Amino acid sequence: INTGLIETVRFAYIKEAVKKKLTIDVDKNLLTMEELFDAFSEKGVKADTFYEDEKALAEDLLAVSETKHYQHLRTLAAKHAHHMMRLRFVLKPFSFLFLLEGSQHYHIVWETLDTEEATYVWPVAKDVQQLKLALKKIEEIIQLVKVHGKVAYLSSATENYRRIFHHYKDGIKGFVKWKGELESILT
């Protein structure tokens, strides 16, 4: 057994887990890496069997899947404030919740792996308690979107948020436009 074999098994495991993602049903909306593995794993495989942290898991998830938002997710993963919040995963739609640090606020960013949803960005005061409250609120929002659809959320939203639309027809120019909008929110 060597490192190459372990990486091959890890990659095969994640590839199979991505295929199963639509059949899994859990009560929580925001999952840590360990909770995600518990949801995927029928054989009791624990996250720390393959991963030290969620950065490597996110890298493998992006490598395994054919994703529309590959560049977007790479950008968000590079900016994620791991020292403040662990990366969170959402199963339906399979997506990520990142924490980005702006000049005046934190920003919680919800990005899907491969659906045509906009990127949602919520500003949060640079305060740990406010961040915890915002995460709970966003979990409720994701549940609302899951049950009633994004139109229900958009029509009832009272909190401050921004949507950054994806411009699929523009190719790389669309990504550059998306990234520019994200940067303007963070400053």
Side-chain angles (χ1 to χ4, degrees):
I1 296 178
N2 61 24
T3 307
L5 178 62
I6 292 170
E7 287 179 14
T8 301
V9 171
R10 178 183 78 195
F11 198 71
Y13 182 82
I14 291 301
K15 194 172 189 175
E16 188 61 32
V18 168
K19 288 180 187 176
K20 290 185 345 183
K21 71 182 177 217
L22 297 176
T23 63
I24 297 169
D25 193 26
V26 294
D27 294 335
K28 287 181 71 172
N29 287 313
L30 302 180
L31 305 174
T32 63
M33 178 177 69
E34 291 79 12
E35 293 165 336
L36 182 69
F37 261 77
D38 289 345
F40 281 151
S41 180
E42 298 162 359
K43 300 171 185 142
V45 176
K46 297 294 180 194
D48 61 2
T49 303
F50 295 127
Y51 299 101
E52 289 182 26
D53 60 34
E54 67 272 359
K55 285 186 206 179
L57 173 59
E59 288 291 324
D60 278 358
L61 285 168
L62 290 176
V64 165
S65 64
E66 301 288 321
T67 174
K68 290 181 183 208
H69 302 147
Y70 179 82
Q71 292 175 305
H72 308 81
L73 289 164
R74 284 260 179 232
T75 299
L76 293 168
K79 294 179 177 290
H80 179 66
H82 292 279
H83 65 284
M84 288 299 301
M85 182 184 96
R86 295 178 64 198
L87 184 63
R88 296 294 199 275
F89 303 90
V90 179
L91 291 179
K92 293 179 185 176
F94 196 86
S95 47
F96 301 83
L97 208 63
F98 298 95
L99 179 66
L100 279 54
E101 194 166 352
S103 58
Q104 297 176 11
H105 295 90
Y106 292 122
H107 300 274
I108 298 174
V109 182
W110 183 24
E111 181 67 76
T112 64
L113 190 65
D114 55 11
T115 64
E116 292 192 10
E117 300 292 331
T119 305
Y120 288 79
V121 182
W122 293 271
V124 180
K126 286 190 173 181
D127 175 77
V128 175
Q129 290 303 329
Q130 291 297 316
L131 182 58
K132 288 178 182 179
L133 290 172
L135 281 172
K136 286 181 183 181
K137 179 66 178 169
I138 290 169
E139 186 163 19
E140 292 170 8
I141 291 168
I142 291 170
Q143 180 63 26
L144 175 70
V145 170
K146 220 160 93 169
V147 173
H148 299 289
K150 68 181 174 188
V151 174
Y153 169 64
L154 296 173
S155 63
S156 68
T158 57
E159 58 280 318
N160 184 22
Y161 73 97
R162 297 267 309 266
R163 288 191 304 165
I164 306 173
F165 293 96
H166 299 104
H167 305 278
Y168 300 109
K169 294 178 184 171
D170 296 338
I172 193 70
K173 284 183 182 178
F175 169 71
V176 171
K177 185 175 181 179
W178 175 91
K179 188 174 178 184
E181 289 181 46
L182 177 68
E183 293 296 332
S184 73
I185 291 171
L186 298 179
T187 56

